[in-house]
Every structure is written in C-alpha cells, then in structure tokens.
Amino acid sequence: MTIREFKMPDVGEGLTEAEILKWYVQPGDTVTDGQVVCEVETAKAAVELPIPFDGVVHALLFEEGTTVDVGQVIISVQTGDAGAEAPVQTAAAPVAEAAAAAAPAEEPVAEARQPVLVGYGVSTASTKRRPRKATAVPAAQNGTAAPAAAPAAPAAPVLPAVPAQPTGERPLAKPPVRKLAKDLGIDLASVVPTGDGGVVTREDVHAAAAAAIAPQAVPAAAVPVAAQAQAETPVAEAAPAADASARETRIPVKGVRKVTAQAMVGSAFTAPHVTEFITLDVTRTMKLVQELKDDPDLAGLRINPLLLIAKAVLVAIRRNPDVNASWDEAAQEIVLKHYVNLGIAAATPRGLIVPNIKDAHAKTLGELSESLSSLVATARDGKTSPADMQNGTITITNVGVFGVDTGTPILNPGESAILAVGAIKLQPWVHKGKVKPRQVTTLALSFDHRLIDGELGSKFLADIAAVLEHPRRLITWS
C-alpha cells in the first residue's frame, strides 16, 4: 500500500495559483481514475479537477476557500499499487514538502510534467518553498494546522500567544498578504502563521486585525481563550461581530475579478479607444424575433434580439473584414483574422467573463442560437473553461438587460472592437413622415484607433444598424 499525492495542476496555461472552491470527497472515501474530487477557481474560470488514479482518500491538505500554488499537493490517496511511487509517510503528509526543503541534497532532479487529466500538469521544480523552521506547528491529516502543546499543558490545547517568527527574521508571506497587512496596519512579525512552512496567510492577517479591533480592556487571563477560539473558529464566522459598526468592508481581489481588473487597465491604457454611437429603430427586428419564435422549424431554440444582433455583427464583418483584426505590438503588424470568434460578455457571480463562440461566422442561425444558449448557461453555472475565453476576435456586451441606454465599453485585450447594446424601448420616432411609437435602441462601438480609423469604424457601425433596421439584409447582404 502506498500514498500517492495529487498536485494542483496548471489548469490554464501560465496560471500560478487557484482557489479551492469545494471538495467533493472526504478522507476515507473511495475514488476512481477520472473522478472529480474538487472544484477550483483560477484567474480565468472555475474548473473541476479529476484525480488520475484509484484509491481511498487519505487526507485533504487544504480547506475550501484556500488559495493554493500550482505544484502544491492538495490531496493524498492510499492506493494498492505498490510500484506506482515510493511510499509516503502517512502520519504527516502535509509536512513532507517541508521535510524535503530541510534537506536540499535529497531534492529530486526536475522531471517532465506529470500526466494529469486537467490542464498542463505540474513541474517538480515549478514551486520552490523556503525551508520550514524546526519550531513550525505540526499539521493534522486533514491539512489544517494542529494546536501546539502549551508549556503548562492546559485542559485544551491552545495556540501560543507569541510570534512564530524568530526575532530579527523577516516573516514569510506572499506580496498580496504583505500589502493586506500594511493596509490594515498589522505588523507581520506579530502574526502567528498557520500556513505551510511557517508562511503567514491572508486569514492570519485578518485574525490579527480582528484581535486588534477587540476591546483593549480584556483581562490577560482571557487572551489564551481568545487565541484558542480563533484557531477553532473560521475567520468568516468571527467577522460579523467585528464588522457590526464598521464603516468599510474590504473584499480581497482574486480569481476572475482580479484578472478582469488587470485586463481592463491594460486595455484602457494600451489601445487608444474611440467610441461612436448610433440610435436606431429596431421595430422590424423585434417583429422578426417573434416570427422566428413561432416558426416550427426553430422549435426548442432560444430566439431573442441578441441572436439577431450577433448575426448582424457577423454580416457587417463580412462587409468590413478589416475590423476583425488585432495589433501585434512586438512585430509591429496588424493581424487580419479570417475567422470570427464572437465574444459575449457575461456577468457571473464571480465577475465579468467573456467566453466566445468559435468560428461563429460559419454557423447557421440555429447553430448560433444553440451556441449562445450553451455559452450563457455555462457561464452562469461558473463552468466556463479557460479555452472558451481565449482567442476572441470581437465582442458584444448587452448592457440593455440592466435597463441602461448605452455605455462606452472597454476593449477585450487582443481584440479591435466591442459593441455595446442598449435597452430596447418604445419611443416616439418619425416613421414614414409621422411620429409613431417605435422600438428604439442605441448601439455604442468602441474600437482600437491604431488599426481602425474613423471611416472604417463608422461604416462598420452603420452596417450593423442598417441590418437591424431592415433585417431582410441578413439575406441580401449574406
């Protein structure tokens, strides 16, 4: 019998960490090759991780909500394959990495990435940790820090109320954790670390901040009890008491929100944005939507205005192919795309994502409807894969669903244009020489002025509007 370890893979090329959202197994459960054991969230999407071997779960090394570096062991499984790997000590599986770090001479030579069922695998040299101190707190089999024995052996184990870092030594912590501590006014040297290798975690900093907010008149005898409560109770449960009268709440920026922020800042300050607007009568398009809904040949398909707007964009791209391009800064070239991967901005509980429909230009109306429905459903469920968000060429964002008339959208990085669709409202409109109530909306097109000049951008937007005003052009211009 051996203990096999499963490391956090790179589920999206180039990613360095992921947050464990949910465990689907517990110690003692039997798992089979290919069974999903947990769901993780990267900076791009939520992904389910299958385990690549059979066995019985020995230990879960990280709790839900923990951010784990790529290459770290997240679960150990007891298997019956004696020749699969060298046996691992079962009593302190989480400490194995620290023990290896303490003996550099025994570190294995970097090997090729191990095979996994999701992502790009992990490299043995991908994550190097600093040696754990001899006084580090031992870990339990479930991966959580076990309480250290107090000198006086009290009735219940408590965490020592002394700094874990030796005097004069710089505390171990990641840059985001250091920034958090600085923002909260917490001295890292005074924080008791609970992370692997004596690393101070974000939760440790929040716990220290909560303790600092507590009344100063707490008796000295009550301090160990408070420390014990912090060790046994998740930080999230203790937060409401401290935040009851708080005037501000700080939310860590991570996952999808983090990568979206970085992408938007990079795009806004890299590509020179120009935004043009057009207000148009879409009454005929709305009538066509209703007719298509009643068409028995399209029964079961989701027919809505966004579907015809997407089709209008594809027709306009065919008439103005130069808008479907990207700017290669390194090569100083404009890359013309002869395919359309149509991005649809989607608001999800985890933040804004932009999955795209691959080769949308080659799809029929029915196929495009199916792709749109699948894309939106997958995004709302948080199951969009990194591959679904890569290589987009142009994007549509429908702000009209929120009752907004229009906006000035920011380009998705690597793309040259993005179309914002406003709310469709019944408004007075001059139609055939008379003022009548008509279905009216406003479109806003933002484009990269390095490769799309005003004339091309204006023609493209005008063509989209022309198709939506007279949807028969979906046929005559195709």
Side-chain angles (χ1 to χ4, degrees), residues 22 196 269 325 368 409 415:
K22 183 178 182 180
D196 291 342
F269 292 97
L368 191 61
E415 300 179 10

mmCIF file of all heavy atoms in Angstrom, residues 22 196 269 325 368 409 415:
data_model
loop_
_atom_site.group_PDB
_atom_site.id
_atom_site.type_symbol
_atom_site.label_atom_id
_atom_site.label_comp_id
_atom_site.label_asym_id
_atom_site.label_seq_id
_atom_site.Cartn_x
_atom_site.Cartn_y
_atom_site.Cartn_z
ATOM 1 N N LYS A 22 -14.616 23.926 -3.625
ATOM 2 C CA LYS A 22 -15.429 22.886 -2.995
ATOM 3 C C LYS A 22 -14.762 21.525 -3.133
ATOM 4 O O LYS A 22 -14.217 21.199 -4.182
ATOM 5 C CB LYS A 22 -16.824 22.843 -3.645
ATOM 6 C CG LYS A 22 -17.774 21.843 -3.019
ATOM 7 C CD LYS A 22 -19.142 21.905 -3.686
ATOM 8 C CE LYS A 22 -20.131 20.940 -3.035
ATOM 9 N NZ LYS A 22 -21.459 21.000 -3.680
ATOM 10 N N ASP A 196 1.673 26.514 5.457
ATOM 11 C CA ASP A 196 2.770 25.560 5.315
ATOM 12 C C ASP A 196 4.115 26.270 5.329
ATOM 13 O O ASP A 196 4.288 27.317 4.708
ATOM 14 C CB ASP A 196 2.627 24.785 3.988
ATOM 15 C CG ASP A 196 1.439 23.836 4.020
ATOM 16 O OD1 ASP A 196 0.973 23.541 5.139
ATOM 17 O OD2 ASP A 196 1.000 23.402 2.947
ATOM 18 N N PHE A 269 -5.200 51.519 -21.139
ATOM 19 C CA PHE A 269 -4.001 52.354 -21.229
ATOM 20 C C PHE A 269 -3.011 51.860 -22.283
ATOM 21 O O PHE A 269 -1.876 52.310 -22.334
ATOM 22 C CB PHE A 269 -3.322 52.435 -19.860
ATOM 23 C CG PHE A 269 -4.130 53.202 -18.846
ATOM 24 C CD1 PHE A 269 -4.939 52.540 -17.945
ATOM 25 C CD2 PHE A 269 -4.117 54.584 -18.825
ATOM 26 C CE1 PHE A 269 -5.706 53.236 -17.025
ATOM 27 C CE2 PHE A 269 -4.876 55.291 -17.917
ATOM 28 C CZ PHE A 269 -5.678 54.609 -17.005
ATOM 29 N N ALA A 325 -9.511 42.193 -36.590
ATOM 30 C CA ALA A 325 -8.053 42.143 -36.603
ATOM 31 C C ALA A 325 -7.515 42.398 -35.203
ATOM 32 O O ALA A 325 -8.268 42.674 -34.267
ATOM 33 C CB ALA A 325 -7.508 43.177 -37.592
ATOM 34 N N LEU A 368 -26.015 29.070 -34.268
ATOM 35 C CA LEU A 368 -25.607 30.227 -33.465
ATOM 36 C C LEU A 368 -26.472 30.336 -32.205
ATOM 37 O O LEU A 368 -25.976 30.651 -31.124
ATOM 38 C CB LEU A 368 -25.717 31.498 -34.303
ATOM 39 C CG LEU A 368 -25.091 32.771 -33.721
ATOM 40 C CD1 LEU A 368 -23.597 32.602 -33.521
ATOM 41 C CD2 LEU A 368 -25.377 33.967 -34.628
ATOM 42 N N PRO A 409 -17.874 50.908 -23.824
ATOM 43 C CA PRO A 409 -17.193 49.670 -23.414
ATOM 44 C C PRO A 409 -15.692 49.708 -23.671
ATOM 45 O O PRO A 409 -15.217 50.377 -24.589
ATOM 46 C CB PRO A 409 -17.876 48.604 -24.278
ATOM 47 C CG PRO A 409 -18.338 49.349 -25.490
ATOM 48 C CD PRO A 409 -18.734 50.705 -24.996
ATOM 49 N N GLU A 415 -8.357 42.229 -28.903
ATOM 50 C CA GLU A 415 -9.403 42.449 -29.892
ATOM 51 C C GLU A 415 -9.394 43.908 -30.342
ATOM 52 O O GLU A 415 -8.820 44.771 -29.684
ATOM 53 C CB GLU A 415 -10.772 42.073 -29.316
ATOM 54 C CG GLU A 415 -10.857 40.611 -28.886
ATOM 55 C CD GLU A 415 -12.203 40.249 -28.283
ATOM 56 O OE1 GLU A 415 -13.134 41.080 -28.365
ATOM 57 O OE2 GLU A 415 -12.324 39.141 -27.721
#
